């Protein structure tokens, strides 16, 4: 753009307020974004963090900006070029340069931050999902943690403040092992976004997995720090903070109601092992929360701090995300305070095998169908029904699951069924599944009634089209 004026970094730095105008630089360009402030999807205050300086470091962290659409939107605000051909992007280190290696079979939904799901056909068949195939949901770069220097701080209402090393956790407390399923609240979001657009990671049905987790019981740690569950405590919540943090140093955080952690038989773990192996970097090394029966988002990885408190976590993810609303509520009308943070997910299921649009042959007049079913809050799955005729007739599936204690069914149920199809049927046919849990909660038939602006908790009947061959 030779016709545009040149500016020095000092000129740009002066434009860091609404009175003078808000300028930013990107690569070698200078932009006046004053009029865009209120339109910034992340809020004006987030964009103000870069006022008078380079946005390159922010875009390196929040790579959802790196899209043609957004770059051309920015170009519309260009007012000049940095003097002397300076390019600020050259000075930015990639915050994602220390990410771990990942299994090539994972289906990547976002590279930075890393979000990837297990291919559906690899989910079924094994009650425990292999660690390297287990879905990964990161909001920020994976933090580097030195296990020798690691400390977990425990503090808050009714507690004395303590710090525990990894060795303390391994030696001062009894080791517990539980089987538990972890599922992202956004699992099966693509079925919602195909109905109406949604901002959010596009997940098919593989943002779920089941593992055997070992570690210490959160209840034991809270009691060690002085929590007395017989006396009235002011604490209503247990907050967790991770070591991963954003540009402002704000870390990932979430909370669970304290009763989930302290009742007799409570199974919330501070886990250091997954399927008998130390936690991997992606899954929260060295210690993460496993809050069984509770949605993935509260199972904080790279755990650094536990706080008992009157209030729930004030984090973005607890307050302004991972909540569901009426299908007609949109971003202009949403009142985040009006809905509770998701804790126990609803009953859901999915067909994993056969996959979408795969050819199937039916010499026996039936199609073998396999999948998973899961319900939050420790509810067990009591039945899965499968249909090949749009729900007119149903076949009851055969279930298999890890044995569980009463009202503590933390693991999913795998199922399989031989579903009869109309004789001599050739061509495309839709398979449907739905699960029912032990509270007799079951799945709604369509996505439309449960659609919500964040695309969470989609538990509509799961449908897969297959091609029946002669
Ligand atoms: N903990 C931290 N510290 N940072 C995160 O980004 N993501 C949460 C949760 N814990 C997250 C976190 C979300 S939304 C989910 S679904 C699960 O971790 C995913 O756990 P996994 O990556 O081990 O499957
Ligand atoms: Mo999630």
């Amino acid at each position: 753009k030779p016709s545009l004026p040149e500016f020095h970094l000092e000129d740009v730095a002066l434009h860091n307020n609404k009175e003078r105008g808000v300028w930013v630089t990107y690569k070698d360009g200078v932009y006046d974004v004053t009029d865009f402030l209120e339109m910034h999807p992340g809020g004006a205050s987030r964009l103000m963090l870069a006022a008078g300086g380079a946005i390159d470091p922010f875009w390196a962290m929040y790579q959802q900006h790196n899209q043609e659409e957004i770059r051309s939107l920015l170009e519309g605000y260009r007012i000049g070029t940095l003097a002397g051909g300076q390019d600020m992007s050259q000075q930015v280190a990639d915050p994602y340069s220390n990410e771990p290696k990942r299994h090539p079979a994972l289906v990547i939904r976002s590279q930075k931050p890393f979000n990837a799901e297990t291919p559906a056909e690899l989910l079924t068949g094994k009650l425990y999902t292999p660690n390297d195939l287990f879905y990964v949901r990161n909001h920020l770069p994976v933090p580097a943690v030195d296990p020798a220097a690691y400390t977990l701080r425990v503090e808050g209402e009714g507690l004395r403040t303590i710090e525990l090393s990894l060795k303390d956790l391994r030696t001062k407390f009894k080791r517990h092992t539980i089987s538990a399923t972890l599922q992202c609240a956004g699992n099966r979001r693509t079925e919602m976004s195909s109905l109406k657009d949604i901002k959010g990671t596009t997940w098919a049905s593989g943002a779920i997995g089941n593992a055997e987790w070992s570690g210490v019981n959160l209840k034991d740690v809270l009691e060690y720090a002085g929590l007395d569950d017989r006396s009235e405590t002011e604490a209503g919540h247990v907050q967790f903070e991770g070591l991963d943090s954003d540009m402002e140093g704000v870390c990932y955080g979430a909370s669970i109601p304290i009763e989930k952690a302290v009742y007799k038989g409570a199974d919330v773990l501070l886990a250091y092992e997954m399927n008998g192996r130390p936690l991997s970097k992606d899954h929260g090394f060295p210690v993460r929360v496993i809050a069984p029966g509770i949605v993935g988002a509260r199972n904080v990885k790279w755990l650094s701090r536990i706080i008992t408190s009157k209030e729930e976590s004030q984090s973005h993810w607890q307050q302004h995300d991972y909540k569901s609303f009426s299908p007609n509520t949109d971003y202009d009308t949403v009142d985040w305070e009006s809905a509770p943070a998701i804790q126990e997910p609803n009953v859901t299921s999915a067909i994993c095998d056969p996959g979408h649009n795969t050819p199937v042959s039916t010499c026996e007049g039936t199609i073998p169908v396999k999948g998973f079913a899961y319900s939050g809050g420790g509810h067990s799955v009591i039945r899965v029904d499968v249909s090949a005729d749009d729900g007119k007739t149903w076949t009851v599936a055969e279930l298999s699951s890890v044995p569980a204690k009463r009202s503590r069914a933390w693991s999913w149920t795998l199922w399989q069924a031989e579903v009869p199809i109309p004789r001599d049927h050739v061509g495309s046919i839709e398979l449907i599944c739905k699960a029912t849990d032990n509270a007799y909660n079951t799945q709604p038939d369509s996505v439309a009634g449960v659609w919500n602006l964040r695309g969470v908790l989609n538990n509509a009947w799961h449908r897969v089209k297959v091609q029946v061959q002669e």
Side-chain angles (χ1 to χ4, degrees):
K1 306 241 167 131
S3 58
L4 286 174
E6 291 205 336
F7 295 104
H8 291 276
L9 287 174
E10 299 76 50
D11 306 325
V12 178
L14 291 173
H15 293 87
N16 64 352
N17 57 64
K18 285 178 193 160
E19 292 71 50
R20 271 183 181 254
V22 175
W23 293 9
V24 296
T25 66
Y26 174 63
K27 293 195 171 158
D28 64 347
V30 179
Y31 305 84
D32 180 348
V33 293
T34 320
D35 293 339
F36 178 70
L37 278 176
E38 294 306 323
M39 291 186 274
H40 185 239
S45 62
R46 305 283 291 181
L47 181 47
M48 281 305 288
L49 294 170
I55 58 171
D56 308 72
F58 295 88
W59 282 27
M61 178 72 98
Y62 311 116
Q63 300 226 357
Q64 55 268 42
H65 290 94
N66 292 334
Q67 296 173 37
E68 194 42 50
E69 208 183 313
I70 295 176
R71 277 189 298 266
S72 72
L73 180 88
L74 178 67
E75 258 347 273
Y77 294 96
R78 184 146 183 174
I79 54 168
T81 297
L82 279 175
Q86 275 203 66
D87 180 343
M88 298 307 288
S89 67
Q90 302 297 311
Q91 294 170 29
V92 178
D94 180 2
Y96 294 90
S97 59
N98 290 315
E99 298 282 289
K101 275 220 166 56
R102 279 109 181 190
H103 196 289
L106 284 172
V107 183
I108 297 172
R109 300 299 182 191
S110 152
Q111 191 65 252
K112 301 174 178 185
F114 191 74
N115 292 299
E117 66 182 289
T118 317
E121 66 275 16
L122 296 183
L123 277 179
T124 190
K126 294 178 226 65
L127 279 174
Y128 295 105
T129 315
N131 292 2
D132 53 358
L133 289 173
F134 203 100
Y135 84 97
V136 178
R137 188 1 175 172
N138 296 339
H139 289 82
L140 294 157
V142 174
V145 185
D146 171 5
Y150 173 86
T151 54
L152 172 64
R153 197 178 159 88
V154 186
E155 63 194 309
E157 289 288 337
L159 304 186
R160 65 192 165 94
T161 301
I162 57 168
E163 284 194 352
L164 299 168
S165 67
L166 268 183
K167 190 168 165 229
D168 292 334
L169 284 172
R170 285 183 177 273
T171 56
K172 290 197 160 95
F173 302 93
K174 190 167 172 259
R175 175 191 166 95
H176 290 265
T177 297
I178 62 164
S179 292
T181 289
L182 215 59
Q183 180 183 227
C184 184
N187 198 25
R188 301 184 54 202
R189 178 178 285 133
T190 43
E191 297 160 58
M192 281 194 170
S193 27
S194 58
L195 200 71
K196 192 176 150 198
D197 216 29
I198 293 173
K199 277 186 242 155
T201 311
T202 49
W203 296 116
S205 51
I208 186 169
N210 190 55
E212 192 174 71
W213 310 91
S214 301
V216 306
N217 199 306
L218 173 58
K219 187 182 181 212
D220 294 347
V221 172
L222 294 177
E223 283 174 359
Y224 182 82
L227 188 80
D228 181 354
D229 64 0
R230 285 159 308 183
S231 66
E232 275 297 303
T233 161
E234 291 283 302
H237 305 268
V238 188
Q239 302 185 23
F240 308 113
E241 290 182 0
L243 287 162
D244 46 340
S245 61
D246 70 9
M247 300 281 302
E248 296 152 81
V250 177
C251 56
Y252 185 86
S255 64
I256 60 170
I258 198 164
E259 338 47 283
K260 295 290 160 197
V262 297
Y263 72 94
K264 185 169 170 294
D267 279 325
V268 179
L269 290 193
L270 309 180
Y272 44 68
E273 278 173 28
M274 178 177 185
N275 292 326
R277 313 253 319 140
L279 282 180
S280 68
K281 283 186 165 190
D282 267 331
H283 296 296
F285 177 84
V287 178
R288 79 173 301 169
V289 175
I290 289 296
I294 294 179
V295 76
R298 317 300 169 212
N299 291 248
V300 173
K301 304 193 274 190
W302 313 293
L303 184 66
S304 66
R305 209 151 82 106
I306 299 174
I307 309 146
T308 52
S309 59
K310 294 191 185 95
E311 303 271 300
E312 66 174 357
S313 164
Q314 293 302 302
S315 86
H316 167 79
W317 298 277
Q318 190 87 11
Q319 299 296 330
H320 299 133
D321 198 354
Y322 297 114
K323 292 186 174 187
S324 183
F325 297 89
S326 167
N328 279 99
T329 301
D330 224 319
Y331 277 92
D332 346 319
T333 54
V334 65
D335 171 11
W336 288 99
E337 274 64 53
S338 69
I342 299 167
Q343 293 286 346
E344 299 177 352
N346 47 9
V347 59
T348 190
S349 63
I351 295 166
C352 299
D353 190 7
H356 280 284
N357 291 320
T358 49
V360 294
S361 44
T362 65
C363 47
E364 304 295 327
T366 63
I367 303 178
V369 185
K370 289 184 195 168
F372 67 78
Y374 172 68
S375 186
H379 291 297
S380 56
V381 168
I382 60 162
R383 203 182 70 236
V384 174
D385 303 308
V386 192
S387 175
D389 58 6
D390 206 30
K392 285 193 247 345
T393 61
W394 299 90
T395 301
V396 175
E398 195 185 301
L399 310 181
S400 66
S401 58
V402 182
K405 299 212 173 73
R406 189 163 50 91
S407 62
R408 285 150 78 190
W410 310 131
S411 284
W412 64 7
T413 293
L414 298 183
W415 55 265
Q416 55 181 55
E418 288 290 336
V419 186
I421 60 154
R423 200 162 284 286
D424 301 327
H425 181 100
V426 177
S428 133
I429 201 165
E430 190 174 60
L431 302 168
I432 302 176
C433 74
K434 65 175 169 79
T436 302
D437 73 12
N438 67 337
Y440 283 98
N441 292 306
T442 192
Q443 302 179 230
D445 58 353
S446 69
V447 175
V450 290
W451 188 97
N452 59 87
L453 79 168
R454 285 300 293 119
V456 289
L457 298 179
N458 177 23
N459 72 336
W461 293 358
H462 190 242
R463 297 160 191 267
V464 164
K465 268 209 184 76
V466 294
Q467 304 300 326
V468 178
Q469 305 206 313
E470 276 173 271

Short mmCIF file of all heavy atoms in Angstrom, two decimals, residues 154-155 157-160 162 164 173 217-228 237-238 240 258 261-262 270 306-308:
data_model
loop_
_atom_site.label_atom_id
_atom_site.label_comp_id
_atom_site.label_asym_id
_atom_site.label_seq_id
_atom_site.Cartn_x
_atom_site.Cartn_y
_atom_site.Cartn_z
N VAL A 154 -3.86 -25.17 48.67
CA VAL A 154 -5.23 -25.45 49.09
C VAL A 154 -5.60 -24.43 50.16
O VAL A 154 -4.87 -24.28 51.14
CB VAL A 154 -5.35 -26.89 49.67
CG1 VAL A 154 -6.81 -27.23 49.98
CG2 VAL A 154 -4.74 -27.90 48.71
N GLU A 155 -6.70 -23.71 49.94
CA GLU A 155 -7.05 -22.63 50.88
C GLU A 155 -8.53 -22.29 50.79
O GLU A 155 -9.24 -22.85 49.95
CB GLU A 155 -6.21 -21.38 50.55
CG GLU A 155 -6.50 -20.83 49.16
CD GLU A 155 -5.46 -19.82 48.70
OE1 GLU A 155 -5.18 -18.89 49.46
OE2 GLU A 155 -4.94 -19.96 47.58
N GLU A 157 -12.49 -20.92 52.66
CA GLU A 157 -13.43 -21.01 53.78
C GLU A 157 -13.25 -22.31 54.57
O GLU A 157 -13.32 -23.39 54.00
CB GLU A 157 -14.87 -21.03 53.25
CG GLU A 157 -15.37 -19.73 52.68
CD GLU A 157 -15.63 -18.68 53.75
OE1 GLU A 157 -15.85 -19.06 54.93
OE2 GLU A 157 -15.59 -17.49 53.39
N GLY A 158 -13.02 -22.17 55.86
CA GLY A 158 -12.96 -23.34 56.73
C GLY A 158 -11.65 -24.13 56.62
O GLY A 158 -11.53 -25.21 57.17
N LEU A 159 -10.67 -23.58 55.89
CA LEU A 159 -9.41 -24.30 55.70
C LEU A 159 -8.24 -23.48 56.23
O LEU A 159 -8.29 -22.26 56.24
CB LEU A 159 -9.13 -24.57 54.21
CG LEU A 159 -10.16 -25.31 53.38
CD1 LEU A 159 -9.59 -25.57 52.00
CD2 LEU A 159 -10.56 -26.62 54.03
N ARG A 160 -7.17 -24.20 56.64
CA ARG A 160 -5.90 -23.50 56.80
C ARG A 160 -5.20 -23.63 55.46
O ARG A 160 -5.40 -24.62 54.75
CB ARG A 160 -5.09 -24.11 57.95
CG ARG A 160 -4.66 -25.54 57.68
CD ARG A 160 -4.12 -26.26 58.92
NE ARG A 160 -4.08 -27.69 58.62
CZ ARG A 160 -3.00 -28.32 58.16
NH1 ARG A 160 -1.88 -27.67 57.96
NH2 ARG A 160 -3.05 -29.62 57.88
N ILE A 162 -2.58 -24.59 52.86
CA ILE A 162 -1.46 -25.55 52.81
C ILE A 162 -0.94 -25.63 51.38
O ILE A 162 -1.63 -25.26 50.43
CB ILE A 162 -1.87 -26.97 53.27
CG1 ILE A 162 -3.04 -27.51 52.44
CG2 ILE A 162 -2.19 -26.99 54.76
CD1 ILE A 162 -3.29 -28.99 52.64
N LEU A 164 1.03 -28.50 48.86
CA LEU A 164 1.38 -29.90 48.77
C LEU A 164 2.24 -30.14 47.53
O LEU A 164 1.91 -29.63 46.45
CB LEU A 164 0.11 -30.76 48.67
CG LEU A 164 -0.86 -30.68 49.85
CD1 LEU A 164 -2.19 -31.33 49.49
CD2 LEU A 164 -0.26 -31.34 51.08
N PHE A 173 -1.47 -39.28 51.41
CA PHE A 173 -2.88 -39.61 51.23
C PHE A 173 -3.03 -41.00 50.62
O PHE A 173 -2.15 -41.46 49.89
CB PHE A 173 -3.54 -38.57 50.31
CG PHE A 173 -3.44 -37.17 50.82
CD1 PHE A 173 -2.38 -36.35 50.42
CD2 PHE A 173 -4.37 -36.67 51.72
CE1 PHE A 173 -2.27 -35.06 50.90
CE2 PHE A 173 -4.25 -35.38 52.22
CZ PHE A 173 -3.20 -34.57 51.80
N ASN A 217 -8.21 -38.60 47.01
CA ASN A 217 -9.57 -38.13 47.11
C ASN A 217 -9.57 -36.67 47.55
O ASN A 217 -8.92 -36.31 48.52
CB ASN A 217 -10.32 -39.01 48.12
CG ASN A 217 -11.81 -38.89 47.94
OD1 ASN A 217 -12.35 -37.80 47.95
ND2 ASN A 217 -12.47 -40.02 47.75
N LEU A 218 -10.31 -35.83 46.83
CA LEU A 218 -10.38 -34.40 47.18
C LEU A 218 -10.84 -34.22 48.62
O LEU A 218 -10.35 -33.35 49.34
CB LEU A 218 -11.32 -33.66 46.20
CG LEU A 218 -11.62 -32.20 46.53
CD1 LEU A 218 -10.36 -31.35 46.60
CD2 LEU A 218 -12.59 -31.62 45.49
N LYS A 219 -11.78 -35.08 49.04
CA LYS A 219 -12.30 -34.99 50.40
C LYS A 219 -11.17 -35.16 51.43
O LYS A 219 -11.09 -34.41 52.41
CB LYS A 219 -13.34 -36.10 50.58
CG LYS A 219 -14.09 -36.04 51.87
CD LYS A 219 -15.07 -37.20 51.97
CE LYS A 219 -15.82 -37.11 53.27
NZ LYS A 219 -16.17 -38.41 53.80
N ASP A 220 -10.28 -36.11 51.18
CA ASP A 220 -9.15 -36.34 52.10
C ASP A 220 -8.26 -35.10 52.19
O ASP A 220 -7.77 -34.75 53.27
CB ASP A 220 -8.31 -37.54 51.64
CG ASP A 220 -9.08 -38.86 51.73
OD1 ASP A 220 -10.15 -38.88 52.38
OD2 ASP A 220 -8.60 -39.86 51.15
N VAL A 221 -8.03 -34.47 51.04
CA VAL A 221 -7.16 -33.29 51.02
C VAL A 221 -7.83 -32.12 51.75
O VAL A 221 -7.19 -31.42 52.53
CB VAL A 221 -6.80 -32.92 49.56
CG1 VAL A 221 -6.06 -31.58 49.50
CG2 VAL A 221 -5.96 -34.03 48.93
N LEU A 222 -9.14 -31.94 51.53
CA LEU A 222 -9.84 -30.85 52.21
C LEU A 222 -9.86 -31.08 53.72
O LEU A 222 -9.70 -30.15 54.51
CB LEU A 222 -11.28 -30.71 51.67
CG LEU A 222 -11.41 -30.27 50.21
CD1 LEU A 222 -12.87 -30.24 49.78
CD2 LEU A 222 -10.77 -28.90 49.98
N GLU A 223 -10.03 -32.33 54.12
CA GLU A 223 -10.04 -32.64 55.56
C GLU A 223 -8.65 -32.42 56.16
O GLU A 223 -8.51 -31.92 57.27
CB GLU A 223 -10.55 -34.06 55.81
CG GLU A 223 -12.06 -34.11 55.68
CD GLU A 223 -12.65 -35.51 55.77
OE1 GLU A 223 -11.87 -36.49 55.92
OE2 GLU A 223 -13.89 -35.62 55.68
N TYR A 224 -7.63 -32.78 55.40
CA TYR A 224 -6.25 -32.56 55.84
C TYR A 224 -5.99 -31.06 56.05
O TYR A 224 -5.26 -30.67 56.95
CB TYR A 224 -5.30 -33.13 54.77
CG TYR A 224 -3.84 -33.03 55.09
CD1 TYR A 224 -3.22 -33.97 55.90
CD2 TYR A 224 -3.07 -31.99 54.55
CE1 TYR A 224 -1.86 -33.89 56.18
CE2 TYR A 224 -1.71 -31.90 54.81
CZ TYR A 224 -1.11 -32.85 55.63
OH TYR A 224 0.23 -32.76 55.90
N ALA A 225 -6.65 -30.25 55.22
CA ALA A 225 -6.50 -28.79 55.34
C ALA A 225 -7.47 -28.22 56.37
O ALA A 225 -7.61 -27.00 56.49
CB ALA A 225 -6.70 -28.13 53.98
N GLY A 226 -8.17 -29.10 57.09
CA GLY A 226 -8.97 -28.64 58.22
C GLY A 226 -10.47 -28.57 58.00
O GLY A 226 -11.20 -28.13 58.90
N LEU A 227 -10.95 -28.97 56.83
CA LEU A 227 -12.40 -28.91 56.61
C LEU A 227 -13.09 -29.94 57.50
O LEU A 227 -12.71 -31.11 57.52
CB LEU A 227 -12.75 -29.19 55.14
CG LEU A 227 -14.22 -28.96 54.81
CD1 LEU A 227 -14.48 -27.47 54.60
CD2 LEU A 227 -14.63 -29.72 53.57
N ASP A 228 -14.08 -29.48 58.23
CA ASP A 228 -14.82 -30.38 59.11
C ASP A 228 -16.24 -30.43 58.58
O ASP A 228 -17.00 -29.47 58.71
CB ASP A 228 -14.78 -29.82 60.54
CG ASP A 228 -15.52 -30.72 61.50
OD1 ASP A 228 -16.16 -31.70 61.04
OD2 ASP A 228 -15.47 -30.44 62.71
N HIS A 237 -18.84 -24.01 47.55
CA HIS A 237 -18.23 -24.45 46.28
C HIS A 237 -16.76 -24.78 46.49
O HIS A 237 -16.12 -24.25 47.40
CB HIS A 237 -18.34 -23.34 45.23
CG HIS A 237 -19.75 -22.89 45.02
ND1 HIS A 237 -20.58 -23.44 44.08
CD2 HIS A 237 -20.49 -21.96 45.68
CE1 HIS A 237 -21.77 -22.86 44.14
NE2 HIS A 237 -21.75 -21.96 45.11
N VAL A 238 -16.25 -25.63 45.61
CA VAL A 238 -14.80 -25.85 45.56
C VAL A 238 -14.34 -25.37 44.19
O VAL A 238 -14.78 -25.88 43.16
CB VAL A 238 -14.42 -27.34 45.74
CG1 VAL A 238 -12.90 -27.47 45.87
CG2 VAL A 238 -15.10 -27.94 46.95
N PHE A 240 -11.35 -24.57 41.34
CA PHE A 240 -10.08 -25.13 40.87
C PHE A 240 -9.44 -24.17 39.87
O PHE A 240 -10.15 -23.61 39.04
CB PHE A 240 -10.32 -26.47 40.16
CG PHE A 240 -11.12 -27.45 40.96
CD1 PHE A 240 -12.39 -27.82 40.56
CD2 PHE A 240 -10.59 -28.01 42.12
CE1 PHE A 240 -13.14 -28.73 41.30
CE2 PHE A 240 -11.33 -28.93 42.87
CZ PHE A 240 -12.61 -29.29 42.46
N ILE A 258 -19.78 -27.89 46.70
CA ILE A 258 -18.94 -28.61 47.67
C ILE A 258 -19.53 -29.97 48.05
O ILE A 258 -18.78 -30.91 48.32
CB ILE A 258 -18.62 -27.73 48.90
CG1 ILE A 258 -17.40 -28.29 49.65
CG2 ILE A 258 -19.82 -27.61 49.83
CD1 ILE A 258 -16.78 -27.34 50.64
N ALA A 261 -18.09 -33.02 46.63
CA ALA A 261 -16.75 -33.43 47.03
C ALA A 261 -16.70 -34.04 48.42
O ALA A 261 -15.75 -34.76 48.75
CB ALA A 261 -15.80 -32.24 46.97
N VAL A 262 -17.70 -33.77 49.27
CA VAL A 262 -17.52 -34.15 50.68
C VAL A 262 -18.50 -35.17 51.24
O VAL A 262 -18.34 -35.59 52.37
CB VAL A 262 -17.51 -32.90 51.61
CG1 VAL A 262 -16.34 -32.00 51.28
CG2 VAL A 262 -18.82 -32.16 51.53
N LEU A 270 -8.12 -35.96 42.81
CA LEU A 270 -7.02 -35.19 42.25
C LEU A 270 -6.15 -36.28 41.63
O LEU A 270 -5.41 -36.98 42.32
CB LEU A 270 -6.28 -34.42 43.33
CG LEU A 270 -7.20 -33.59 44.25
CD1 LEU A 270 -6.40 -32.87 45.31
CD2 LEU A 270 -8.03 -32.60 43.42
N ILE A 306 -6.71 -24.96 44.82
CA ILE A 306 -8.06 -25.37 45.22
C ILE A 306 -8.52 -24.35 46.24
O ILE A 306 -7.78 -24.04 47.19
CB ILE A 306 -8.04 -26.78 45.86
CG1 ILE A 306 -7.53 -27.81 44.84
CG2 ILE A 306 -9.41 -27.15 46.40
CD1 ILE A 306 -7.35 -29.19 45.44
N ILE A 307 -9.71 -23.80 46.05
CA ILE A 307 -10.21 -22.77 46.96
C ILE A 307 -11.65 -23.12 47.35
O ILE A 307 -12.52 -23.23 46.48
CB ILE A 307 -10.22 -21.38 46.28
CG1 ILE A 307 -8.86 -21.08 45.65
CG2 ILE A 307 -10.62 -20.29 47.28
CD1 ILE A 307 -8.95 -20.27 44.39
N THR A 308 -11.90 -23.29 48.64
CA THR A 308 -13.29 -23.43 49.07
C THR A 308 -13.84 -22.03 49.27
O THR A 308 -13.15 -21.14 49.75
CB THR A 308 -13.38 -24.21 50.40
OG1 THR A 308 -12.51 -23.60 51.34
CG2 THR A 308 -12.97 -25.67 50.23
#
